[in-house]
Amino acid sequence: MDIRYSANQKDFKRYTTEETRKEFLIENLYVSDEVVAVYSHVDRMVTLGCMPVNEVVPIDKGIDIWANFGTHYFLERREIGIFNIGGAGTIVADNETFSMGYKDCVYITKGTKNVTFASADPAKPAKFYMVSAPAHKSCKTTYIPIAKAAKRTVGAMETSNKRTINQFIHPDVLETCQLSMGMTVLEPGSVWNTMPAHTHERRMEIYMYFEIPENNVVFHMMGEGKETRHIVMLNEQAVISPSWSIHAGAGTSNYTFIWAMGGENMEFDDMDNIPTTELR
């Protein structure tokens, strides 16, 4: 498991492109029959990817649970949100089985001992994207298909940011300890996300970009509003945003991204907006 330690905004100003990518970018999430995991000390969030092909893959495959978490199983003191961005697949969480279609989601609560992943067709494997946060209480494991996500259409074609926000793991949909996740889909002709840019001091955020067409990229912007940097993102890559950093971007095409947040509160108006004309 890759471990990333916290970076502060003062040191970040001196980072090279390579250092910025090494610190915040998460690449190569999907390896056949493996679990790829990145532990960030920013709010102790864990980002994972799993692409089962020929095996039923347990969530802790290749992870030394005791050494990395000090627990006996992965979700002993954690909760997790899981999306499928590949072919049809199955998740088994203790005694519950979930059939996962494209863009479906499941929330699995703290205290779930066994989680496994499988694909329905090895030729079209499932791709499970996951974010896990520490949890101090148990909630209800819940399956949320894309059709039942709470949907909000925002933005406009005139500003190249018309998009639909799908809320899955969200206070308006279900109770969790601290994890929130959703999926934002940009319409053709729209390329901007999360404008005006903002920070939220009490929460970090992770974006995972996908449905980026071949030969296209997303320029993900981060850093303090007065001194921004960018990371060029390819399809199915994720990026870590500490609480002091903006998290916004523009693509050379439309795209989709999954956002995940963890931190002290879940009040979504608790953010510091930055007028676009004041960004530097």
Side-chain angles (χ1 to χ4, degrees):
M1 183 166 66
D2 185 12
I3 298 178
R4 310 280 181 93
Y5 289 90
S6 300
N8 68 71
Q9 58 269 51
K10 294 179 181 178
D11 290 344
F12 176 68
K13 294 178 181 181
R14 300 191 294 271
Y15 280 18
T16 64
T17 298
E18 181 181 357
E19 289 171 328
T20 300
R21 293 174 66 85
K22 185 176 180 180
E23 189 73 41
F24 301 104
L25 179 64
I26 301 174
E27 305 176 90
N28 304 317
L29 276 165
Y30 304 104
V31 179
S32 296
D33 295 321
E34 299 293 340
V35 174
V36 176
V38 176
Y39 184 114
S40 172
H41 277 272
V42 181
D43 286 313
R44 301 190 181 278
M45 302 284 274
V46 182
T47 304
L48 309 98
C50 179
M51 185 175 69
V53 179
N54 299 306
E55 301 177 13
V56 175
V57 181
I59 194 170
D60 59 355
K61 184 177 181 181
I63 301 173
D64 189 328
I65 296 297
W66 182 257
N68 288 293
F69 300 103
T71 58
H72 299 92
Y73 55 95
F74 186 82
L75 294 178
E76 184 175 341
R77 293 199 292 266
R78 288 185 160 271
E79 59 189 349
I80 195 168
I82 306 172
F83 283 82
N84 181 19
I85 64 164
T90 301
I91 296 175
V92 179
D94 283 349
N95 60 347
E96 296 185 82
T97 300
F98 304 98
S99 297
M100 302 285 290
Y102 186 59
K103 293 184 177 179
D104 289 346
C105 173
V106 65
Y107 165 79
I108 302 178
T109 189
K110 166 186 176 292
T112 304
K113 291 185 176 181
N114 299 296
V115 180
T116 61
F117 308 100
S119 292
D121 181 357
K124 299 178 181 178
K127 291 182 179 179
F128 295 108
Y129 172 71
M130 302 167 263
V131 176
S132 173
H136 59 264
K137 69 175 182 179
S138 295
C139 299
K140 179 177 174 56
T141 293
T142 305
Y143 167 65
I144 315 107
I146 178 65
K148 292 188 177 180
K151 294 175 170 55
R152 293 176 51 228
T153 299
V154 297
M157 292 302 298
E158 291 79 7
T159 49
S160 303
N161 68 348
K162 189 173 183 182
R163 59 203 189 275
T164 299
I165 300 173
N166 296 273
Q167 299 168 336
F168 288 83
I169 301 172
H170 187 279
D172 292 341
V173 179
L174 59 93
E175 181 186 15
T176 68
C177 182
Q178 67 155 319
L179 182 67
S180 296
M181 293 183 74
M183 178 189 300
T184 299
V185 182
L186 277 73
E187 296 197 6
S190 288
V191 296
W192 282 99
N193 72 65
T194 321
M195 282 293 182
H198 62 266
T199 60
H200 22 74
E201 186 63 28
R202 284 151 288 278
R203 291 190 306 279
M204 67 88 73
E205 193 154 4
I206 299 168
Y207 280 8
M208 192 281 292
Y209 291 97
F210 70 111
E211 293 189 327
I212 301 175
E214 187 177 3
N215 299 321
N216 285 269
V217 299
V218 172
F219 289 79
H220 179 83
M221 299 179 188
M222 62 175 301
E224 295 180 289
K226 294 293 186 180
E227 193 164 345
T228 63
R229 303 287 188 273
H230 72 266
I231 297 178
V232 179
M233 309 281 300
L234 302 180
N235 193 41
E236 298 180 356
Q237 293 181 341
V239 61
I240 299 166
S241 296
S243 61
W244 48 262
S245 175
I246 67 167
H247 33 281
T252 57
S253 172
N254 62 311
Y255 50 89
T256 301
F257 68 99
I258 295 171
W259 43 268
M261 291 187 286
E264 286 189 288
N265 70 23
M266 300 176 76
E267 298 294 330
F268 292 92
D269 58 354
D270 178 25
M271 62 178 65
D272 298 312
N273 287 308
I274 303 170
T276 305
T277 54
E278 293 183 11
L279 291 170
R280 298 292 184 266

